[in-house]
Amino acid sequence: MNNQTAEVLRMMTIFIPLLFVVGFFCVVVTRNLVRTLIGIEVLSKAVTLLLVVAGYTTGRTALAQACVITLIMIEAVVVAVAAGIIVNVVRHTDSLDRRNLEELRG
Amino acid sequence: MIVDLLILTALLIFVLGAAMKRDTVKAAIALALASIMLSVLMFRLASPLAAVFELSVCAGLITVVFMSTISLTKPLTVLEEERLHLRGRHFAVLPILVLAAAGLLVMVGIPTDLALPQAASAQDVRSVLWNERQLDLLGETLVILAGFFGILVLFKDKPTGVGRTGAAWLKAERFRKEKSDETTKVESNQPDPAIRV
Amino acid sequence: MAAFLIFVPLIGIITLNLPFRFLRRFAYGYAITVAAAQAALAIFLPLPLWNRVLAHFFGLERLDLSADRLSLVLLLSIAIVMFAALQVGCFTIRSGKRRFEFVNLVVLAVTGLNGAALVHDLFSLYVFLEVAAVASFTLIALERDKLSLEGGFKYLVLSAVASVMLLAAIALLLMSTGSTAFAAVHAALLGSSNPMARIAVASFVAGLCIKGGLVPFHGWLPDAYTAAPAGASVLLAGIVTKTTGIYTLIRLMSSVFGPVPQIQAVLLFVGALSIIIGATAALGQKDFKRMLAYSSISQMGYIVLGLGAGSALGVAGAVFHLFNHAVFKTLLFVNAAAVEEQTGTRDMDTMGGLSARMPVTGATSVVAFLSTAGVPPLAGFWSKFIIVVAVWSAGQHAYAVIAVLASLLTCAYFLSMQRRVFFGVLAQEFKDIHEARLAILVPEVVLALITIGVGVMFPRVLETFILPIRSVLG
């Protein structure tokens, strides 16, 4: 693997896990429903970057891009449905607090 | 190389901003900026088509979805954030966590002698997409259809709020009707205290 | 031929949604026909014909879809559960418009699951699993009441996180092997000890455990199953969770990873943990469906335990138990739907003596729980027996003992359910209820007959379905 690819890989090995850390933290710790969605988006960005890097380092940029394009479309659909659920929740509870969604316990 | 490093750092900062900013509108904007950074990065990593998609869908469409959601729930967001600190005080820990993780990764070291497969010849994305990944396109169509139904179910009409089924629903209806009949009957039986004979 | 299982439903959905009002009434009939056709094909069409491509159909031959023994078992399970879900859903949802949306979503989910059963590429597998997932989010939140939205949101968040983990694994495998197709990745992974590949496998297993609702990632499962409307619960519990979690795990282990001792150890542990925690939690439940949800977690543990045994016998047992669970868990959820519709509640403490007024539901419930608890000669007994034997002969005596003892726990919580709901004195407020309507009785009886039939005719089933699965494992 040539020098340039090695450099890129070295940088990515540090940054991509950091993105994952931010994403996971965001999803787990927040109580705001919209921020949970933001966390999911951050995780998707991390994975998108990982896919692109995978394509770049192996030279299979076409395959990686095809996967990324499909992935982005699916992400958009999931976000739209999640937004729909959040808007409906707010209609019921008038709040974005996740603690309102704790009724099903036990 | 330096450019890539700068872009990555900017990406990380924007992502942190999206996670940590109290006001969700600003957080959504930070997310959009992060998408733009990611898009630039993808251009530099020989993935132009994906970069365009990232720009138009993530920095564009998804941000619009976020903004609409936030505006549909806006009066609450600002109030709640300020009164209830929904973001949680724990979030202040995040930058520290990130720096710690970064330090850890740098120390652990990055294996530079990974055996990667032979670099393949560059192919045109469009030909790959249409000729080899047709299955993915089919699946994507199905996801979009499913999403379409999702939006249809979730956004059309007011919610019925009735999660019960069949006989239970009928029983609830009957009960509600009886209740309202009762109250009207009770009201009409009460003598009007204002009338004096 | 295999491609039809995706295209026929897809064309159906597009047709049903054309702007002609009169087409709506065909939705239910169409969906039932698809389910019946799929079941018939899975049982009767010999394997080579499945993969014979009808080359002159719009270039379908370029799609890499083909079936093997494992896929056939799954396709049959999908068809059976789809039938039951349609019956329950279409006859318990009040609004005609909701019913139409329900049928469309069920067909979409099933199309996604069919695709997952037939693909040979990691990324395509992810895409089809997402189809089923997105359809499921909406199915859970169909009635848009607060509890359904809660269950739907929890499932969405965890499913999205799990998908991210699967994708990360796919990306890492792409980086280490240069491809996403099963065969290519399998060949490249043989004998390689790339650290990226190891992280990828770990990420895969973790993501699939979340999707399959195994402990400790089961947090979303009871909420989603309980809050979903009756028809959606049947579909979710019967097949969606199984396919997106366990089936994918089986497929990956057999076609991509091969037997890796570390994964097997993890699977054994996670399986045993799920069995115990699921069964224990089920004991303390008041809500009928919530108890069934924890029971599902427990039974998934058995399947994973069989996988962890590592032998061909273990995998065969796991696949058999997957099929059996699809049948008897669906039956239980159909019963729960029938009871909920008649009594208006899911609180088992307020019910009692219902079998006096709902004899068929009560009887089929007994069949289902005996099968779940592993009582001979019902089907559940055989699959559990195979799993226990496989685990024991793999040297994991402790785990085998746990599996057997947990059957006692299973018996306990189910007996408690039967006693509270069906036996005993008929509660006063329920003296006017009657048996579930015929549309719901049909799947109850059919599913019970399948459980009994498969159990009684076990030797025949063994040769035609189970032993051939071993050929899948190379």
Side-chain angles (χ1 to χ4, degrees):
Chain A
M1 129 173 74
N2 65 3
N3 238 359
Q4 193 191 0
T5 325
E7 287 299 327
V8 166
L9 194 55
R10 194 194 305 254
M11 277 193 298
M12 293 297 172
T13 325
I14 302 185
F15 276 95
I16 294 184
L18 293 182
L19 286 175
F20 273 106
V21 164
V22 174
F24 273 116
F25 192 90
C26 201
V27 169
V28 169
V29 175
T30 185
R31 293 203 314 252
N32 184 332
L33 294 178
V34 173
R35 204 174 295 280
T36 320
L37 203 51
I38 290 181
I40 294 179
E41 269 309 286
V42 170
L43 284 175
S44 307
K45 291 210 189 319
V47 149
T48 313
L49 187 54
L50 187 59
L51 264 174
V52 168
V53 167
Y56 180 72
T57 52
T58 54
R60 285 158 174 69
T61 50
L63 176 58
Q65 282 185 81
C67 292
V68 165
I69 290 174
T70 315
L71 167 61
I72 291 177
M73 300 292 288
I74 297 181
E75 257 322 295
V77 169
V78 170
V79 165
V81 173
I85 295 185
I86 291 181
V87 164
N88 274 285
V89 167
V90 166
R91 270 199 203 138
H92 275 284
T93 64
D94 264 338
S95 158
L96 283 172
D97 194 334
R98 189 178 70 184
R99 285 176 307 182
N100 288 321
L101 296 184
E102 303 274 297
E103 266 185 53
L104 293 166
R105 273 277 157 255
Chain B
M1 223 285 288
I2 289 289
V3 182
D4 289 328
L5 198 59
L6 284 176
I7 300 177
L8 273 172
T9 322
L11 174 60
L12 192 59
I13 294 180
F14 284 133
V15 159
L16 271 172
M20 290 185 52
K21 274 238 162 283
R22 284 247 165 117
D23 182 356
T24 39
V25 172
K26 300 217 182 88
I29 296 179
L31 197 64
L33 288 169
S35 293
I36 299 178
M37 289 295 118
L38 183 58
S39 178
V40 171
L41 205 54
M42 290 205 273
F43 263 114
R44 291 186 58 86
L45 286 176
S47 307
L49 218 57
V52 168
F53 255 87
E54 169 77 25
L55 205 54
S56 53
V57 177
C58 291
L61 184 65
I62 293 191
T63 311
V64 167
V65 171
F66 266 111
M67 289 304 181
S68 328
T69 317
I70 295 174
S71 68
L72 279 172
T73 59
K74 179 68 169 163
L76 314 157
T77 349
V78 175
L79 276 173
E80 279 192 332
E81 288 293 346
E82 281 164 17
R83 271 192 294 132
L84 302 177
H85 299 291
L86 275 186
R87 199 205 61 184
R89 255 156 294 151
H90 311 289
F91 259 84
V93 159
L94 189 55
I96 308 173
L97 197 62
V98 167
L99 284 171
L104 199 72
L105 285 163
V106 169
M107 276 198 309
V108 160
I110 299 98
T112 44
D113 54 348
L114 289 170
L116 291 177
Q118 288 282 47
S121 59
Q123 293 163 284
D124 185 27
V125 182
R126 275 162 297 221
S127 68
V128 165
L129 202 52
W130 286 110
N131 296 334
E132 289 174 20
R133 315 282 330 171
Q134 289 160 319
L135 214 42
D136 295 348
L137 288 176
L138 178 59
E140 198 185 311
T141 317
L142 288 167
V143 172
I144 293 177
L145 273 176
F148 163 73
F149 273 103
I151 305 295
L152 201 65
V153 166
L154 291 169
F155 278 106
K156 257 179 96 180
D157 316 323
K158 289 210 319 260
T160 55
V162 178
R164 290 165 291 175
T165 58
W169 186 87
L170 283 173
K171 200 156 63 156
E173 280 293 295
R174 234 179 289 134
F175 180 69
R176 212 182 318 145
K177 209 134 73 95
E178 284 168 13
K179 253 289 166 60
S180 62
D181 288 337
E182 254 178 53
T183 24
T184 43
K185 223 189 308 176
V186 165
E187 280 170 1
S188 57
N189 273 344
Q190 288 282 6
D192 191 347
I195 299 178
R196 284 178 184 278
V197 178
Chain C
M1 179 47 83
F4 282 168
L5 250 50
I6 299 184
F7 276 101
V8 169
L10 172 60
I11 295 177
I13 296 219
I14 297 178
T15 324
L16 284 174
N17 283 294
L18 292 174
F20 300 121
R21 281 272 131 185
F22 75 92
L23 285 172
R24 308 268 145 134
R25 61 184 79 218
F26 293 119
Y28 167 71
Y30 171 75
I32 292 279
T33 319
V34 166
Q38 185 168 323
L41 283 174
I43 301 181
F44 296 118
L45 192 68
L47 199 53
L49 277 185
W50 270 97
N51 300 326
R52 183 125 64 95
V53 178
L54 303 165
H56 31 273
F57 258 106
F58 311 110
L60 280 184
E61 74 273 8
R62 283 188 284 165
L63 290 179
D64 188 15
L65 289 172
S66 60
D68 59 13
R69 288 270 159 209
L70 182 56
S71 321
L72 286 186
V73 173
L74 188 71
L75 289 172
L76 180 59
S77 315
I78 294 175
I80 295 176
V81 177
M82 178 187 181
F83 165 68
L86 283 170
Q87 289 295 112
V88 170
C90 289
F91 292 94
T92 53
I93 296 181
R94 289 287 105 192
S95 138
K97 192 157 35 138
R98 280 277 173 273
R99 223 176 302 147
F100 179 67
E101 287 160 0
F102 174 79
V103 171
N104 275 302
L105 285 166
V106 166
V107 174
L108 273 170
V110 163
T111 314
L113 296 174
N114 283 347
L118 297 169
V119 292
H120 294 283
D121 179 286
L122 286 170
F123 190 72
S124 307
L125 182 59
Y126 157 75
V127 173
F128 280 102
L129 290 182
E130 281 297 296
V131 174
V134 172
S136 302
F137 304 153
T138 318
L139 275 173
I140 298 177
L142 197 65
E143 298 284 356
R144 296 160 75 188
D145 64 299
K146 182 159 178 292
L147 289 181
S148 312
L149 292 168
E150 178 183 339
F153 192 73
K154 287 195 179 142
Y155 181 39
L156 190 148
V157 170
L158 272 122
S159 172
V161 169
S163 295
V164 163
M165 293 170 89
L166 292 184
L167 278 168
I170 295 178
L172 286 171
L173 282 177
L174 176 60
M175 218 182 327
S176 25
T177 61
S179 166
T180 53
F182 284 175
V185 176
H186 188 47
L189 279 183
L190 280 176
S192 104
S193 55
N194 203 329
M196 274 195 298
R198 295 224 205 107
I199 302 179
V201 170
S203 186
F204 253 126
V205 173
L208 291 174
C209 284
I210 298 181
K211 285 213 181 241
L214 295 165
V215 173
F217 303 120
H218 63 291
W220 60 271
L221 201 145
D223 298 342
Y225 282 18
T226 321
S233 298
V234 169
L235 192 72
L236 260 189
I239 201 67
V240 173
T241 312
K242 278 202 266 298
T243 312
T244 56
I246 315 282
Y247 167 80
T248 312
L249 199 55
I250 300 179
R251 171 63 75 194
L252 287 179
M253 280 193 59
S254 57
S255 306
V256 178
F257 305 151
V260 176
Q262 290 96 336
I263 310 183
Q264 280 165 5
V266 168
L267 285 179
L268 282 170
F269 180 67
V270 165
L273 204 59
S274 303
I275 295 179
I276 300 175
I277 294 191
T280 325
L283 271 175
Q285 294 302 322
K286 282 195 327 183
D287 184 316
F288 199 165
K289 278 174 36 175
R290 209 173 170 83
M291 184 205 85
L292 291 179
Y294 278 111
S295 169
S296 292
I297 297 177
S298 185
Q299 296 304 310
M300 298 290 201
Y302 274 99
I303 303 179
V304 169
L305 201 67
L307 262 188
S311 55
L313 190 64
V315 177
V319 173
F320 189 28
H321 200 61
L322 191 149
F323 172 75
N324 282 333
H325 188 245
V327 173
F328 55 63
K329 197 36 69 70
T330 308
L331 175 51
L332 283 168
F333 269 97
V334 172
N335 287 336
V339 166
E340 182 180 2
E341 170 158 14
Q342 292 303 319
T343 62
T345 176
R346 289 195 306 260
D347 187 343
M348 294 193 278
D349 290 335
T350 61
M351 301 182 202
L354 293 181
S355 65
R357 309 291 300 181
M358 306 178 77
V360 178
T361 308
T364 49
S365 172
V366 171
V367 170
F369 104 67
L370 287 177
S371 192
T372 317
V375 172
L378 295 173
F381 165 72
W382 294 111
S383 55
K384 280 193 174 176
F385 181 64
I386 297 181
I387 292 178
V388 170
V389 165
V391 172
W392 184 275
S393 45
Q396 306 286 349
H397 302 302
Y399 285 124
V401 169
I402 292 180
V404 174
L405 289 179
S407 283
L408 294 176
L409 267 179
T410 315
C411 244
Y413 65 74
F414 270 117
L415 270 176
S416 150
M417 178 272 277
Q418 280 294 121
R419 194 177 43 79
R420 279 187 282 175
V421 174
F422 290 108
F423 300 152
V425 179
L426 185 58
Q428 202 43 24
E429 54 193 301
F430 299 136
K431 59 179 169 55
D432 291 327
I433 64 171
H434 48 82
E435 181 59 89
R437 40 162 65 175
L438 187 63
I440 300 191
L441 282 185
V442 167
E444 282 184 12
V445 170
V446 166
L447 289 169
L449 286 177
I450 296 179
T451 297
I452 300 177
V454 167
V456 163
M457 297 200 306
F458 179 64
R460 185 91 187 286
V461 170
L462 187 65
E463 6 169 317
T464 48
F465 269 116
I466 304 184
L467 291 178
I469 291 181
R470 300 214 264 173
S471 63
V472 171
L473 310 166

